[in-house]
Amino acid sequence: MSFRAPRSLLLLPLAILAGCASSGTPRPGKATPEVNALYDRMNQASKGYESSIDQARRGDTPQAAQTRKQSLDQLKDASARCSLTPGCDPQRFAAVFDRLLRLKDGSFIEGEDADDTEQGAEVGAQPGDANLPGSVAIGSLPAAQRAVTMLKGQQFSDLMVMNGPVKAALELWLTQLRPNLMDAYVNYQMMRYKMWPAYKKADLPEALLFGIMAKESGGKVHAVSRSGASGPLQFMYATGLRFGLSNSDGFDQRFDPTMAAQANAEYIDEQLAAFNNNLELTLAAYNGGEGRMRRIAASSPGAGFYDPQIYGQMSAETRDYVPMVLAAAWLFLHPDSYHLRWPKIDGEPGQITLKRPASLSELTVCLGSSQDMPEGWFRTLRNLNPRLDPQISQPVGTRLEVPRQLEKAYASSCADGPWPILAADLHNAVKIIAPPPPAATSAALASGSSSSTPSKSSSSASKSYTVRRGDTLVSIARKSNCADVEDIARMNGLKGHQLKVGQALRVPVCR
C-alpha cells in the first residue's frame, strides 16, 4: 500500500496537505495574480469544508450540509478555471479534492467510537445519500452506513490508492460504461436485501460488494461468462463448490444471489487473511486465481499490487479488473462528487400470489412500466426468482418474490382485466417454422412431360467422385449436370469450399 502520514499530520489544514501533495509550491514571483487568486479560493474551500465538520460535530446538521456544498462548489469552480489559466497547477486541486473525499469517509477523524450499535439508524438510508452529511464522524453514523466505510477495522478510503489506473476506471464508468453502471445499481438495489446481510455479517463494506457485482455481471444473476463463471458474482464451478454452491434439484446455486453473496463474503474474508488485508491483491486473487496470486505475492514479499514486480506479472484482464472494481465502489460512496446521481430505488421486498397462471415473461408484459420503470420488470423478476424458467407458466397459488411496490400493481393490472389476456396471447403465439426444402425434382417429371433435360436428383441417389487438380465445387456441380454446390457440400458435410486432390466425394446423380 502507499505511504500514509501520521494521524497528527492528517489533521493539519487541507490547504497545507494539498501543497505537500502537489508537485511543489510555485517559487515566489512565478505565479501570476490570477493563479494566486485561484489558489486562495482553493484554500478557502478547504477551510470551509473543515468548518462543516465542526458544525456536524456540534449537531448543526443542516448548516453542515450547506457549508459542505458551498465549499465543494467553490472548489469545483476554481478547479475548472485553473485548467484554463496558464501557470496554474491542476494537481494541487486534484490533491485537495482527493483529501476531501477521504475526509467525507471520516478517515481523518480521531477519537470516535466505531462499534456496531444501531442508534440513529435511518430506514432506507443509502450510501451517498445527500441527506446524510458526509462529514459526520464514523461513530455517529448508523451501523449500516459505518459498515460501508469499514474494512476489517480500516477505512475503505484508507485502502484506496487514487492513482492513474483507478482514475482511468472512474472515467470509463462515467462515460462509455455509464449505462452499465446505472443498470448494475438498479439491479443491486432490487436484490440488496438478499445480498447485503452476508457482507454486513462479515463486516465487509457494501461498496465493495457493489463494485465486484458491477464489474462481474452488472447484477444479472443468470450471467455466464465464456470461461463458465456463473451468477451475479461469477463463481467458477470448482470455487463455488468449495464455498457451498452446488446443484440442487437441477438448479445451479451460483445463480442464487443470497447464496452467492454469502460465498463471496467468505472468499473475500479468506483472501484478506491470506494477503494481510491487502484489498488490491485480494481482488486480483478473485479475478486471476488465488493460487497464482499467492505465488506472485510470495516472490515479492511486502510488494503491493501496483509495484512493478507484481503488476507486471498480472494478466491484462486482472490489471483492468482491480481498478474497475475499486472505481465502481468509490462511485457507490461518492456519486455527488463526480456529478453522478443514482436513481431513487425502492427495493423493499414483497410477495405476490398468482391469481391466474402466468410466466415471468407474461407478468413483465402486463406490469408494463408501472412504478416508473421505463425498462420494465423482467430483469428484477428474474433476479428475485432465479429458480424459475421465465418462459414457463406458473400455476395459480404460486408465490413470487417481487419489490413491495409491485404488489398493488399486480393486483390492479395482472390479476384480471385486458393486460394479462394480452400477455398470454403474445406468449402463446406460435412461431412459423419454415419446413426443410423438399428434395429437388425435375419439373418435367413432376408434370409428366418428356423433357430431354436430366432432372435433379434427391440426395439419396449419389455416386463417388475423386477430386482432381483444378476441381472446385462449382466445376464438379457443373459436371454432374444435376446438382448444385449446396447439395454437394451438404452431402459431404463440407463447411467450406476447400478441396484436396484425391479427396473422395459423394455427388448426386440424375434419375
Side-chain angles (χ1 to χ4, degrees), residues 421-438:
I421 297 174
L422 170 65
D425 181 56
L426 297 178
H427 186 69
N428 296 323
V430 178
K431 295 181 180 179
I432 298 176
I433 301 176

PDB file of all heavy atoms in Angstrom, residues 421-438:
ATOM      1  N   ILE A 421     -54.586 -10.910 -20.444  1.00  0.00           N
ATOM      2  CA  ILE A 421     -55.075 -11.592 -21.651  1.00  0.00           C
ATOM      3  C   ILE A 421     -54.139 -11.297 -22.818  1.00  0.00           C
ATOM      4  O   ILE A 421     -53.757 -12.191 -23.591  1.00  0.00           O
ATOM      5  CB  ILE A 421     -56.513 -11.155 -21.971  1.00  0.00           C
ATOM      6  CG1 ILE A 421     -57.449 -11.583 -20.835  1.00  0.00           C
ATOM      7  CG2 ILE A 421     -56.963 -11.724 -23.307  1.00  0.00           C
ATOM      8  CD1 ILE A 421     -58.869 -11.078 -20.995  1.00  0.00           C
ATOM      9  N   LEU A 422     -53.747 -10.020 -22.956  1.00  0.00           N
ATOM     10  CA  LEU A 422     -52.806  -9.636 -23.998  1.00  0.00           C
ATOM     11  C   LEU A 422     -51.472 -10.361 -23.800  1.00  0.00           C
ATOM     12  O   LEU A 422     -50.892 -10.903 -24.757  1.00  0.00           O
ATOM     13  CB  LEU A 422     -52.589  -8.122 -23.984  1.00  0.00           C
ATOM     14  CG  LEU A 422     -51.451  -7.609 -24.871  1.00  0.00           C
ATOM     15  CD1 LEU A 422     -51.757  -7.854 -26.345  1.00  0.00           C
ATOM     16  CD2 LEU A 422     -51.187  -6.124 -24.602  1.00  0.00           C
ATOM     17  N   ALA A 423     -50.977 -10.378 -22.572  1.00  0.00           N
ATOM     18  CA  ALA A 423     -49.691 -11.011 -22.289  1.00  0.00           C
ATOM     19  C   ALA A 423     -49.719 -12.495 -22.646  1.00  0.00           C
ATOM     20  O   ALA A 423     -48.774 -13.018 -23.241  1.00  0.00           O
ATOM     21  CB  ALA A 423     -49.329 -10.820 -20.814  1.00  0.00           C
ATOM     22  N   ALA A 424     -50.809 -13.175 -22.284  1.00  0.00           N
ATOM     23  CA  ALA A 424     -50.932 -14.602 -22.595  1.00  0.00           C
ATOM     24  C   ALA A 424     -51.016 -14.831 -24.095  1.00  0.00           C
ATOM     25  O   ALA A 424     -50.446 -15.795 -24.632  1.00  0.00           O
ATOM     26  CB  ALA A 424     -52.156 -15.186 -21.901  1.00  0.00           C
ATOM     27  N   ASP A 425     -51.723 -13.939 -24.792  1.00  0.00           N
ATOM     28  CA  ASP A 425     -51.860 -14.081 -26.235  1.00  0.00           C
ATOM     29  C   ASP A 425     -50.505 -13.958 -26.924  1.00  0.00           C
ATOM     30  O   ASP A 425     -50.173 -14.734 -27.833  1.00  0.00           O
ATOM     31  CB  ASP A 425     -52.815 -13.020 -26.764  1.00  0.00           C
ATOM     32  CG  ASP A 425     -53.023 -13.134 -28.265  1.00  0.00           C
ATOM     33  OD1 ASP A 425     -53.418 -14.216 -28.723  1.00  0.00           O
ATOM     34  OD2 ASP A 425     -52.769 -12.140 -28.971  1.00  0.00           O
ATOM     35  N   LEU A 426     -49.711 -12.985 -26.485  1.00  0.00           N
ATOM     36  CA  LEU A 426     -48.381 -12.815 -27.067  1.00  0.00           C
ATOM     37  C   LEU A 426     -47.478 -13.991 -26.723  1.00  0.00           C
ATOM     38  O   LEU A 426     -46.717 -14.481 -27.563  1.00  0.00           O
ATOM     39  CB  LEU A 426     -47.749 -11.509 -26.563  1.00  0.00           C
ATOM     40  CG  LEU A 426     -48.457 -10.210 -26.943  1.00  0.00           C
ATOM     41  CD1 LEU A 426     -47.729  -9.019 -26.323  1.00  0.00           C
ATOM     42  CD2 LEU A 426     -48.534 -10.055 -28.453  1.00  0.00           C
ATOM     43  N   HIS A 427     -47.570 -14.454 -25.474  1.00  0.00           N
ATOM     44  CA  HIS A 427     -46.679 -15.520 -25.010  1.00  0.00           C
ATOM     45  C   HIS A 427     -46.987 -16.849 -25.695  1.00  0.00           C
ATOM     46  O   HIS A 427     -46.072 -17.648 -25.949  1.00  0.00           O
ATOM     47  CB  HIS A 427     -46.817 -15.667 -23.488  1.00  0.00           C
ATOM     48  CG  HIS A 427     -45.834 -16.632 -22.893  1.00  0.00           C
ATOM     49  ND1 HIS A 427     -44.481 -16.376 -22.843  1.00  0.00           N
ATOM     50  CD2 HIS A 427     -45.996 -17.863 -22.341  1.00  0.00           C
ATOM     51  CE1 HIS A 427     -43.857 -17.387 -22.272  1.00  0.00           C
ATOM     52  NE2 HIS A 427     -44.752 -18.302 -21.965  1.00  0.00           N
ATOM     53  N   ASN A 428     -48.247 -17.085 -25.992  1.00  0.00           N
ATOM     54  CA  ASN A 428     -48.646 -18.368 -26.571  1.00  0.00           C
ATOM     55  C   ASN A 428     -48.677 -18.364 -28.090  1.00  0.00           C
ATOM     56  O   ASN A 428     -49.113 -19.342 -28.712  1.00  0.00           O
ATOM     57  CB  ASN A 428     -50.027 -18.776 -26.040  1.00  0.00           C
ATOM     58  CG  ASN A 428     -49.991 -19.025 -24.537  1.00  0.00           C
ATOM     59  OD1 ASN A 428     -49.013 -19.544 -24.009  1.00  0.00           O
ATOM     60  ND2 ASN A 428     -51.069 -18.647 -23.848  1.00  0.00           N
ATOM     61  N   ALA A 429     -48.250 -17.249 -28.667  1.00  0.00           N
ATOM     62  CA  ALA A 429     -48.241 -17.177 -30.129  1.00  0.00           C
ATOM     63  C   ALA A 429     -47.323 -18.256 -30.688  1.00  0.00           C
ATOM     64  O   ALA A 429     -46.262 -18.551 -30.146  1.00  0.00           O
ATOM     65  CB  ALA A 429     -47.763 -15.794 -30.572  1.00  0.00           C
ATOM     66  N   VAL A 430     -47.765 -18.888 -31.766  1.00  0.00           N
ATOM     67  CA  VAL A 430     -46.995 -19.967 -32.391  1.00  0.00           C
ATOM     68  C   VAL A 430     -46.128 -19.379 -33.495  1.00  0.00           C
ATOM     69  O   VAL A 430     -46.622 -18.741 -34.420  1.00  0.00           O
ATOM     70  CB  VAL A 430     -47.936 -21.045 -32.972  1.00  0.00           C
ATOM     71  CG1 VAL A 430     -47.114 -22.136 -33.668  1.00  0.00           C
ATOM     72  CG2 VAL A 430     -48.805 -21.635 -31.873  1.00  0.00           C
ATOM     73  N   LYS A 431     -44.855 -19.596 -33.369  1.00  0.00           N
ATOM     74  CA  LYS A 431     -43.949 -19.125 -34.407  1.00  0.00           C
ATOM     75  C   LYS A 431     -44.066 -20.017 -35.642  1.00  0.00           C
ATOM     76  O   LYS A 431     -44.256 -21.219 -35.540  1.00  0.00           O
ATOM     77  CB  LYS A 431     -42.503 -19.147 -33.907  1.00  0.00           C
ATOM     78  CG  LYS A 431     -42.223 -18.188 -32.756  1.00  0.00           C
ATOM     79  CD  LYS A 431     -40.766 -18.259 -32.343  1.00  0.00           C
ATOM     80  CE  LYS A 431     -40.477 -17.307 -31.204  1.00  0.00           C
ATOM     81  NZ  LYS A 431     -39.053 -17.403 -30.778  1.00  0.00           N
ATOM     82  N   ILE A 432     -43.965 -19.401 -36.811  1.00  0.00           N
ATOM     83  CA  ILE A 432     -43.987 -20.158 -38.061  1.00  0.00           C
ATOM     84  C   ILE A 432     -42.579 -20.660 -38.343  1.00  0.00           C
ATOM     85  O   ILE A 432     -41.629 -19.875 -38.428  1.00  0.00           O
ATOM     86  CB  ILE A 432     -44.482 -19.293 -39.221  1.00  0.00           C
ATOM     87  CG1 ILE A 432     -45.923 -18.833 -38.961  1.00  0.00           C
ATOM     88  CG2 ILE A 432     -44.376 -20.054 -40.547  1.00  0.00           C
ATOM     89  CD1 ILE A 432     -46.459 -17.899 -40.020  1.00  0.00           C
ATOM     90  N   ILE A 433     -42.461 -21.971 -38.444  1.00  0.00           N
ATOM     91  CA  ILE A 433     -41.163 -22.578 -38.719  1.00  0.00           C
ATOM     92  C   ILE A 433     -41.164 -23.074 -40.161  1.00  0.00           C
ATOM     93  O   ILE A 433     -41.996 -23.913 -40.547  1.00  0.00           O
ATOM     94  CB  ILE A 433     -40.878 -23.739 -37.753  1.00  0.00           C
ATOM     95  CG1 ILE A 433     -40.908 -23.227 -36.299  1.00  0.00           C
ATOM     96  CG2 ILE A 433     -39.545 -24.398 -38.077  1.00  0.00           C
ATOM     97  CD1 ILE A 433     -40.723 -24.324 -35.272  1.00  0.00           C
ATOM     98  N   ALA A 434     -40.269 -22.546 -40.940  1.00  0.00           N
ATOM     99  CA  ALA A 434     -40.215 -22.940 -42.353  1.00  0.00           C
ATOM    100  C   ALA A 434     -39.803 -24.401 -42.473  1.00  0.00           C
ATOM    101  O   ALA A 434     -38.849 -24.829 -41.828  1.00  0.00           O
ATOM    102  CB  ALA A 434     -39.222 -22.049 -43.096  1.00  0.00           C
ATOM    103  N   PRO A 435     -40.513 -25.181 -43.275  1.00  0.00           N
ATOM    104  CA  PRO A 435     -40.148 -26.603 -43.447  1.00  0.00           C
ATOM    105  C   PRO A 435     -38.850 -26.720 -44.226  1.00  0.00           C
ATOM    106  O   PRO A 435     -38.474 -25.804 -44.976  1.00  0.00           O
ATOM    107  CB  PRO A 435     -41.326 -27.179 -44.236  1.00  0.00           C
ATOM    108  CG  PRO A 435     -41.848 -26.003 -44.994  1.00  0.00           C
ATOM    109  CD  PRO A 435     -41.671 -24.809 -44.093  1.00  0.00           C
ATOM    110  N   PRO A 436     -38.138 -27.826 -44.064  1.00  0.00           N
ATOM    111  CA  PRO A 436     -36.907 -28.008 -44.844  1.00  0.00           C
ATOM    112  C   PRO A 436     -37.252 -28.075 -46.319  1.00  0.00           C
ATOM    113  O   PRO A 436     -38.334 -28.531 -46.709  1.00  0.00           O
ATOM    114  CB  PRO A 436     -36.365 -29.345 -44.341  1.00  0.00           C
ATOM    115  CG  PRO A 436     -37.548 -30.050 -43.768  1.00  0.00           C
ATOM    116  CD  PRO A 436     -38.432 -28.985 -43.210  1.00  0.00           C
ATOM    117  N   PRO A 437     -36.354 -27.591 -47.182  1.00  0.00           N
ATOM    118  CA  PRO A 437     -36.660 -27.595 -48.630  1.00  0.00           C
ATOM    119  C   PRO A 437     -36.852 -29.019 -49.118  1.00  0.00           C
ATOM    120  O   PRO A 437     -36.107 -29.925 -48.735  1.00  0.00           O
ATOM    121  CB  PRO A 437     -35.410 -26.953 -49.249  1.00  0.00           C
ATOM    122  CG  PRO A 437     -34.334 -27.124 -48.224  1.00  0.00           C
ATOM    123  CD  PRO A 437     -35.014 -27.052 -46.899  1.00  0.00           C
ATOM    124  N   PRO A 438     -37.871 -29.270 -49.936  1.00  0.00           N
ATOM    125  CA  PRO A 438     -38.109 -30.636 -50.446  1.00  0.00           C
ATOM    126  C   PRO A 438     -36.994 -31.071 -51.370  1.00  0.00           C
ATOM    127  O   PRO A 438     -36.253 -30.251 -51.906  1.00  0.00           O
ATOM    128  CB  PRO A 438     -39.441 -30.506 -51.186  1.00  0.00           C
ATOM    129  CG  PRO A 438     -39.485 -29.069 -51.599  1.00  0.00           C
ATOM    130  CD  PRO A 438     -38.817 -28.299 -50.477  1.00  0.00           C
TER     131      PRO A 438
END
